Amino acid sequence: MTRPGNQHDKLVRDNLLDLEDHHLVRIELVREDQRQVWVLTKRGHGEAKQLLEPKGIRVSALREEKYDPDTGELLGTGYDDHAAAVTSTAAELHRAGIGHRLGFQTEIGHRLGSGFVQRADLVVRAPEAGVPVLLLEIDRRSEDAHDLVAKLRRYWEWGRLLPRDADKHTVDLARSRPDAIEHVDHEQRLWRRVYPPTGREGLVPLAFVFADTTTAKVANTVAVLEEAGRRYWAPRRYDTLYPKAVTARDYRQAVPVVVTTLEQLQEHGADAAVWRRLGRTGEQTLTAALDNPEGHALYRDQEARADAEDKRRRAAQREAERPVCKRCGRKFTDERWEEITVHRTAVRAGDKSVCGPCHADDVAREEAATAATRLQATVPPEAEDGPEPDRGRGWFRRRP
């Protein structure tokens, strides 16, 4: 893992032997090919923490030696093989440029609300390779497939937890109903206190790497993960006004899960198309498998196009329904259309079958007729015999 491409590891071996003399490391396992798996002792673990933690590097959990209380035999042989598989996986990732030497951590705990701690076999941080964080579970088919589903469920549950110092409003919202946490932004959840943003929708991605097993067993296990774990990895349909036009899927509450085998990593490299995303067919590179081309970006594009199309359709339908003046044949303006349909203006809209200009002509004619009538009423009527001549002073008419 330290120098995965080196064929002459005498320098590394000499350094390990020197550390062993100071009781800082010990040999955990000698594999069949005579390769040795070294781990830190308790003393070495403590010194490593003092050395690395000021630089922001977290040290993996200590693997203590356990002995049978009756026979005194060293226990954990299964762990030794498993540890070798974890180390080999990390080495292949590092060889492919995914993660630097201090970007790997093992046995990292994730405490659930019940107090149960789900430990990840390996955690990789490789933002420069497009993988800000990736949790890995290395399985040598020593676990039942449904146990892996339970692990997936626990990672999903952990991704929905709130930190202890979450504000009361957020806590009350999360407790209001089972799915209320889905309305809490990821920035307010516990996992964002531990890991950086993934750069993609969803929770922290999870990888299952199978080692020392057959292709058939891997296929069967993946089938169980896909079927029994669908609730945790599968995206949902977006709640949209255009269900027929929007085919994008909502990954925001899902755990992205990819699978591969250690043998594929060793044969082709971790940067090759050896990763398969649950819910998809075929194998992709790691970043392509983690990406969501049918996710939120596609949703925004489809939603915008569907909204524009809906507005165009509504406008065309409105134009088709727009009234036409029965007098001049012109279409009604929006103002005239609203005037004849809105209750408060319809009472004085006049003839509702004519357009605005024609209605204005009607109003003008009515006003002109009204003005003429008023003018005629104000003029005094003339006498029947015409105006009388000036008869002079003292004259009077004798009444008949």
Side-chain angles (χ1 to χ4, degrees):
M1 176 178 174
T2 305
R3 304 177 68 186
N6 187 29
Q7 300 298 324
H8 306 283
D9 57 355
K10 185 177 185 305
L11 177 62
V12 175
R13 184 171 63 251
D14 290 345
N15 286 332
L16 288 172
L17 291 174
D18 183 59
L19 292 172
E20 184 183 33
D21 291 340
H22 290 81
H23 306 288
L24 299 177
V25 299
R26 63 180 174 84
I27 298 175
E28 174 79 1
L29 170 69
V30 178
R31 295 177 62 86
E32 294 179 358
D33 57 3
Q34 300 307 307
R35 288 187 299 166
Q36 297 171 332
V37 178
W38 295 74
V39 297
L40 293 170
T41 63
K42 186 174 183 180
R43 178 181 174 184
H45 189 269
E47 290 197 14
K49 290 182 66 176
Q50 294 179 3
L51 174 66
L52 297 176
E53 283 194 347
K55 297 182 180 180
I57 303 299
R58 295 179 59 189
V59 180
S60 301
L62 174 65
R63 176 63 180 180
E64 297 182 355
E65 294 178 285
K66 294 183 180 180
Y67 297 89
D68 187 286
D70 298 325
T71 65
E73 182 183 354
L74 179 65
L75 300 177
T77 303
Y79 172 84
D80 295 336
D81 293 336
H82 180 264
V86 173
T87 303
S88 297
T89 300
E92 293 304 326
L93 290 168
H94 181 260
R95 190 198 306 274
I98 302 174
H100 55 86
R101 292 187 184 92
L102 298 180
F104 297 89
Q105 296 171 273
T106 61
E107 293 293 307
I108 299 302
H110 303 81
R111 186 175 297 276
L112 302 177
S114 62
F116 183 87
V117 178
Q118 176 61 55
R119 296 190 178 276
D121 292 330
L122 183 65
V123 177
V124 181
R125 298 173 187 242
E128 71 286 346
V131 186
V133 59
L134 178 66
L135 311 181
L136 292 100
E137 288 290 336
I138 316 302
D139 179 34
R140 300 180 61 252
R141 290 307 297 120
S142 58
E143 295 182 89
D144 183 77
H146 290 280
D147 292 336
L148 301 185
V149 174
K151 285 186 176 182
L152 171 57
R153 172 181 56 80
R154 288 193 285 265
Y155 284 119
W156 177 78
E157 291 175 347
W158 184 77
R160 295 163 68 89
L161 293 179
L162 293 175
R164 290 186 176 181
D165 60 350
D167 62 88
K168 185 177 183 301
H169 173 74
T170 304
V171 173
D172 291 342
L173 174 63
R175 291 175 177 174
S176 61
R177 58 184 188 275
D179 61 342
I181 186 63
E182 298 178 2
H183 301 282
V184 177
D185 188 79
H186 287 275
E187 293 294 327
Q188 298 178 266
R189 301 190 193 182
L190 173 64
W191 77 267
R192 280 293 288 109
R193 301 282 186 91
V194 181
Y195 297 119
T198 65
R200 304 171 176 90
E201 307 100 287
L203 304 175
V204 183
L206 174 64
F208 287 100
V209 179
F210 301 100
D212 304 325
T213 185
T214 64
T215 304
K217 288 183 178 179
V218 172
N220 292 336
T221 302
V222 172
V224 173
L225 278 171
E226 283 192 318
E227 183 61 29
R230 181 173 297 277
R231 170 183 173 85
Y232 315 117
W233 64 259
R236 307 174 184 178
R237 292 189 64 89
Y238 275 99
D239 185 12
T240 174
L241 297 174
Y242 316 105
K244 294 183 178 179
V246 175
T247 61
R249 291 294 179 266
D250 186 357
Y251 287 89
R252 291 175 294 179
Q253 307 304 324
V255 177
V257 181
V258 295
V259 298
T260 189
T261 66
L262 180 56
E263 290 74 19
Q264 284 181 297
L265 296 179
Q266 293 172 335
E267 181 180 357
H268 304 288
D271 56 345
V274 295
W275 303 86
R276 182 195 159 193
R277 175 79 172 263
L278 293 191
R280 301 179 188 172
T281 58
E283 295 174 331
Q284 302 172 283
T285 62
L286 181 56
T287 52
L290 293 177
D291 287 342
N292 302 312
E294 72 279 30
H296 198 63
L298 179 61
Y299 165 73
R300 291 197 305 267
D301 180 62
Q302 289 182 332
E303 182 85 356
R305 284 187 291 162
D307 187 62
E309 176 61 24
D310 184 64
K311 289 180 179 178
R312 187 203 62 76
R313 181 187 59 79
R314 290 176 181 272
Q317 182 179 358
R318 179 176 173 80
E319 285 302 314
E321 297 174 353
R322 186 182 295 274
V324 177
C325 180
K326 294 184 178 180
R327 185 176 302 167
C328 68
R330 288 180 294 188
K331 288 187 176 182
F332 283 29
T333 62
D334 290 341
E335 292 78 5
R336 177 58 177 168
W337 195 358
E338 181 180 1
E339 186 180 22
I340 67 172
T341 53
V342 178
H343 176 72
R344 61 183 175 82
T345 57
V347 294
R348 57 178 181 274
D351 187 355
K352 297 182 178 58
S353 65
V354 298
C355 64
C358 291
H359 172 61
D361 293 342
D362 292 344
V363 172
R365 283 194 296 269
E366 290 177 2
E367 291 178 350
T370 301
T373 302
R374 288 178 179 175
L375 180 62
Q376 185 177 3
T378 57
V379 176
E382 296 182 355
E384 294 182 2
D385 298 334
E388 294 185 357
D390 187 6
R391 298 188 182 272
R393 193 171 185 179
W395 183 90
F396 68 93
R397 173 184 286 182
R398 179 180 296 174
R399 294 184 179 179

